């Protein structure tokens, strides 16, 4: 969280939009760490927003249920837009980028942590594998991109000074260790139910499998809207 926030210069004059905010834990961190003027947290899942509203007590944080690809906000509203891992599942990520561009003020910054392909699949087996994992992960096939394609998409929309840093080895092993702890699994099952909890177990296994075969990258993004 802090690496993405620092990368886009989050500060005490920021009006932040946090897309796919989940239950809002990171927004409490952002408000305490950076003393933002206001944070709008947006998530598609109704239950996530209900829990976020229940536990948030800072009036500067406002949670809204909504679609990140059809943002319910006016043009040039935010100084910063941030997305932690969620954009890979947006339908599509490019549509979200367009909405982020629209709602950012001139000079505003976009920051993401996201999953990309380190390279194009080499053979039919890798293509089939990625296709099936994408389907299980509920990730639109249009979002399956390499670092170069990812950067080109942002620049095509109008973003400048696009930086995509690959941090796979310093993130994914630790993520898997934390996610597999019994207390973490118990909480996921409690919130999402047995079916989605079980699917989450499988997804972690798939991410590990892809990581071992160098078929997934974890990246940090910074991009700017021109002044």
């Amino acid at each position: 969280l802090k690496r993405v926030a620092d990368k886009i210069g989050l500060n005490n004059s920021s009006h932040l939009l946090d897309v796919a905010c989940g239950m809002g834990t990171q927004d409490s961190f952002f408000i305490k760490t950076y003393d933002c003027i206001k944070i709008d947290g947006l998530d598609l899942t109704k239950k996530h927003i209900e829990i976020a509203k229940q536990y948030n007590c800072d009036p500067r944080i406002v949670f809204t249920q909504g679609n990140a690809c059809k943002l319910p906000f006016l043009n040039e509203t935010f100084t910063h837009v941030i997305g932690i891992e969620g954009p890979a599942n947006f339908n599509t990520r490019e549509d979200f980028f367009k909405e982020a561009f629209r709602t950012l003020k001139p000079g505003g910054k976009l920051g993401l942590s996201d999953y990309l392909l380190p390279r194009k699949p080499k053979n039919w087996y890798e293509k089939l594998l990625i296709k099936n994992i994408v389907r299980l992960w509920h990730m639109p096939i249009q979002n399956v991109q390499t670092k170069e394609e990812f950067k080109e998409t942002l620049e095509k929309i109008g973003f400048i000074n696009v930086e995509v840093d690959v941090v796979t080895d310093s993130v994914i092993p630790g993520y898997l260790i934390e996610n597999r702890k019994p207390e973490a699994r118990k909480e996921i099952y409690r919130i999402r139910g047995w079916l989605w909890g079980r699917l989450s177990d499988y997804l972690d296994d798939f991410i590990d499998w892809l990581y071992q075969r160098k078929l997934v990258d974890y990246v940090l993004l910074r991009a700017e809207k021109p002044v």
Side-chain angles (χ1 to χ4, degrees), residues 139-178:
M139 178 180 176
I141 195 67
Q142 299 96 316
N143 294 354
V144 180
Q145 295 179 304
T146 62
K147 175 181 174 180
E148 291 73 26
E149 292 168 333
F150 186 65
K151 184 176 180 182
E152 286 173 9
T153 299
L154 286 151
E155 291 174 339
K156 179 180 68 175
I157 290 167
F159 284 101
I160 61 172
N161 299 327
V162 179
E163 300 173 7
V164 186
D165 296 335
V166 178
V167 293
T168 311
D169 292 336
S170 63
V171 173
I172 287 184
Y175 163 83
L176 292 170
I177 290 171
E178 289 299 316

Side-chain angles (χ1 to χ4, degrees), residues 30-186:
F30 291 143
I31 211 83
K32 291 174 183 175
T33 306
Y34 300 95
D35 195 28
C36 301
I37 292 173
K38 183 181 179 183
I39 296 178
D40 280 281
L42 181 120
D43 200 278
L44 190 61
T45 304
K46 182 179 179 181
K47 189 170 184 179
H48 288 174
I49 294 299
E50 289 173 350
I51 294 172
K53 288 180 176 179
Q54 180 182 351
Y55 287 101
N56 171 59
C57 58
D58 194 310
R60 293 174 294 173
I61 306 176
V62 178
F63 293 105
T64 303
Q65 183 184 4
N67 187 338
C69 299
K70 296 179 181 178
L71 291 173
F73 303 105
L74 298 175
N75 294 351
E76 300 183 3
T77 297
F78 305 102
T79 61
H80 298 80
V81 174
I82 208 166
I84 306 299
E85 298 181 359
N89 298 101
F90 292 168
N91 191 14
T92 62
R93 188 163 51 198
E94 182 174 355
D95 288 336
F96 159 64
F97 289 158
K98 292 175 182 176
E99 283 291 271
F101 191 87
R102 176 183 68 80
T103 56
L104 275 169
K105 296 177 182 292
K109 297 177 179 63
L110 171 67
L112 303 180
S113 63
D114 214 340
Y115 294 95
L116 296 177
L117 282 178
R119 56 174 173 79
K120 290 289 190 181
K122 292 180 178 178
N123 50 51
W124 69 267
Y125 173 74
E126 289 187 349
K127 289 179 181 178
L128 182 63
L129 176 69
I130 290 171
K131 181 179 179 180
N132 286 317
I133 289 174
V134 162
R135 184 179 300 163
L136 178 63
W137 206 354
H138 298 286
M139 178 180 176
I141 195 67
Q142 299 96 316
N143 294 354
V144 180
Q145 295 179 304
T146 62
K147 175 181 174 180
E148 291 73 26
E149 292 168 333
F150 186 65
K151 184 176 180 182
E152 286 173 9
T153 299
L154 286 151
E155 291 174 339
K156 179 180 68 175
I157 290 167
F159 284 101
I160 61 172
N161 299 327
V162 179
E163 300 173 7
V164 186
D165 296 335
V166 178
V167 293
T168 311
D169 292 336
S170 63
V171 173
I172 287 184
Y175 163 83
L176 292 170
I177 290 171
E178 289 299 316
N179 240 30
R180 285 169 172 168
K181 287 182 177 179
E183 58 270 27
R185 304 314 310 156
K186 183 178 179 180

